[in-house]
Amino acid sequence: MADNVFARQLKERNPDPAGRCWIYVPYDQLTDRFGPLAEAEPEEVGIVLIENPWKASRRPYHRQKLAWILASLRHFALEQAERGVAVRHVVTNGPYREPLAEIAAELDAPVTVMEPAERELRADLAPLEEGGLLEVVTHEGWLTTPEDFRASQKGNKTWRMDSFYRYLRKKTGILMEDGEPTGGKYSFDDENRESWDGEPAAPELPEFEVGPVTAEVGELIESNFSRHPGRLHLPAVAATLEDAERFWTWARRECLEHFGPYEDAMSTRSGNLFHTRLSTLLNLFRLEPRRVLEEALELDVPLNSKEGFVRHLIGWLEFMRHVHRDTHGFRDLAETVAKSPGDGGYGQWKGEPWPREASSDEPDGGAEPSFLGSGQPLPPAYWGEESGLSCLDHVVAQVWEEGFTHHIPRLMVLSNLATLLDIDPRQLTDWFWAAFTDAFDWVVEPNVLGMGTFALGDRFTTKPYVSGSAYIDRMSDFCGGCAFDPKKDCPITPMYWAFLERHREQLADNPRMRMI
């Protein structure tokens, strides 16, 4: 721990570590509200937290993503020490299993961990579990179980989120009355497709005080990760538990009332509109999904807004995780797996490879499904070079500015255009993984490989999510500032029809594509 502010504060707070049982807390399980850390008395337990420059340098991760993870982890360490939990903060430059093996050998006892969410980390730690050095217990933070997932898909030839969501609604009684969905239907998507003309006014995003620990993280990123892309903006990082609570308060008060109708809208005037932006906090478990769900259900907001938010939590988010986990990150389905982590097109854009050290211990680069046979390189426009398409250039600029854009620009601009251009699905997935603060393998791979690029065919979604310029024009104001007219000469529309012609043979038997 070479960084003075955090090291000093942790040393001042850290209790005596003797005589404790030890838990490894991964970078995305930063909570004491469930699991073994919640069950033990603070004075009886210690936690291991690992910072890993090797992991951080594996891909060209957005600087803002590194800030979220490092600042959250360090503040979690201080919060736990203050609570009476002993903290071992370790910096390693290689696989996570190496320091954990040393700690287990030193203790002469296995270290406990809740099952990691990321398949990449599970694979890293597997030898420790097999060797009895690591005891893996159930991750108690999820809202659903593997049994829920399998039961919901009985009778389906392919996975369907709709079946999963309806099953959960019926099982839990969430938004149900007398066995029927509240309001008469399970989904209010048809009411949630309004474009936004500036009214009601979109809320300003919250910002947070940058304390000395978070500021030190910023200095670390600027000095040690200077080659990483993206703007670093520390006031946007809700690093402390108090910040996380304030973020959720802001989301309840400012966003959820109008979230539903404008859920799919896009605008140059607000890249966020009424989206809560809770995904990074939820995926790091700084906010507990179960509690967020319960409190959202108590809100006095329109039903279409409430149902849309609930569907994101217990529908898409949980569905993505189960599909990814059940298929070992789609490795069970793909003919090939990348030998090493990809850079998302960084090397082609920069003209030189991403500067990471190759290692025999590094993980593979993930499954490479491509139902449509797409394999073109990602255009440099995704790294910030102007394409001339206002929609793409605006969304890409927001991503590298903030590490965020909401789900419709992700799906109907970034993924849509990449699919129309036959971009390699693995390369686009790696770009998403690097570019977004909320992207981890279990959520980004199903979203991009399964939905965004149709790389799994109809195993995951019924048809490709592709469109010409008409959809973007209808749902956004992007076209107003573009050199192209969406009704006359926008190249996205001929790209769409050319895509359909190229892939006629693969798509002609799809019931939802026959008319097109």
Side-chain angles (χ1 to χ4, degrees), residues 49-62:
L49 295 169
I50 299 176
E51 286 189 21
N52 196 338
W54 177 72
K55 162 79 169 177
S57 298
R58 192 177 293 161
R59 298 176 179 84
Y61 292 115
H62 199 301

Side-chain angles (χ1 to χ4, degrees), residues 15 21 27 42 84 131 185 245 314 372 376 395 400 492:
C21 60
Y27 45 82
K185 52 187 177 180
E245 293 295 333
I314 68 169
L372 298 172
Q376 295 298 316
V395 171
W400 291 120
I492 297 175

Side-chain angles (χ1 to χ4, degrees), residues 137-388:
V137 300
T138 301
H139 191 317
E140 297 180 7
W142 303 111
L143 296 168
T144 63
T145 67
E147 291 72 28
D148 289 328
F149 174 66
R150 294 176 190 127
S152 74
Q153 302 301 303
K154 283 182 179 178
N156 289 351
K157 294 181 180 179
T158 57
W159 302 300
R160 290 294 178 259
M161 192 284 289
D162 182 62
S163 298
F164 178 66
Y165 181 54
R166 287 172 180 249
Y167 172 88
L168 290 175
R169 292 275 296 274
K170 293 173 182 176
K171 177 187 175 182
T172 62
I174 290 172
L175 295 180
M176 300 289 287
E177 297 175 5
D178 300 323
E180 297 295 326
T182 303
K185 52 187 177 180
Y186 286 97
S187 170
F188 289 83
D189 252 359
D190 57 345
E191 298 179 22
N192 292 357
R193 294 170 181 161
E194 295 185 24
S195 59
W196 182 71
D197 61 5
E199 293 294 336
E204 293 291 327
L205 292 170
E207 293 203 337
F208 308 93
E209 180 181 352
V210 179
V213 172
T214 301
E216 188 171 62
V217 165
E219 293 167 6
L220 173 68
I221 292 169
E222 294 287 11
S223 61
N224 292 8
F225 302 99
S226 59
R227 291 195 179 191
H228 283 251
R231 176 193 179 216
L232 178 65
H233 184 57
L234 295 176
V237 177
T240 70
L241 196 57
E242 183 180 345
D243 292 342
E245 293 295 333
R246 188 178 147 214
F247 210 129
W248 175 218
T249 299
W250 170 83
R252 293 197 305 268
R253 184 182 64 241
E254 302 290 343
C255 298
L256 285 178
E257 180 181 358
H258 302 297
F259 169 68
Y262 306 105
E263 183 179 353
D264 290 2
M266 301 176 284
S267 177
T268 58
R269 290 169 287 176
S270 171
N272 192 69
L273 291 175
F274 304 98
H275 289 261
T276 65
R277 288 217 192 193
L278 295 180
S279 53
T280 303
L281 288 167
L282 289 168
N283 292 354
L284 293 173
F285 278 89
R286 290 297 269 167
L287 288 175
E288 184 185 1
R290 191 173 308 280
R291 176 198 155 203
V292 169
L293 173 64
E294 290 170 353
E295 294 184 3
L297 288 169
E298 295 298 319
L299 293 176
D300 183 18
V301 297
L303 180 57
N304 60 324
S305 290
K306 184 179 292 188
E307 185 278 319
F309 184 71
V310 166
R311 184 154 27 94
H312 277 281
L313 277 176
I314 68 169
W316 280 115
L317 201 63
E318 293 278 330
F319 177 72
M320 296 291 179
R321 173 181 73 91
H322 286 301
V323 171
H324 192 264
R325 186 179 182 276
D326 257 27
T327 61
H328 300 94
F330 304 122
R331 288 163 179 82
D332 294 352
L333 305 176
E335 294 182 2
T336 61
V337 174
K339 292 182 179 180
S340 59
D343 65 5
Y346 173 94
Q348 290 151 197
W349 163 64
K350 202 73 171 175
E352 59 186 30
W354 172 248
R356 64 177 177 84
E357 294 183 13
S359 167
S360 59
D361 289 318
E362 72 179 1
D364 64 54
E368 298 179 303
S370 185
F371 172 77
L372 298 172
S374 304
Q376 295 298 316
L378 195 70
Y382 282 71
W383 289 93
E385 291 191 19
E386 290 190 5
S387 70

Side-chain angles (χ1 to χ4, degrees), residues 58-69:
R58 192 177 293 161
R59 298 176 179 84
Y61 292 115
H62 199 301
R63 295 183 189 190
Q64 197 73 349
K65 180 173 188 172
L66 298 179
W68 269 99
I69 293 173

Side-chain angles (χ1 to χ4, degrees), residues 81-94:
E82 194 74 44
R83 205 166 70 89
V85 174
V87 178
R88 294 184 69 153
H89 175 260
V90 180
V91 177
T92 193
N93 201 22

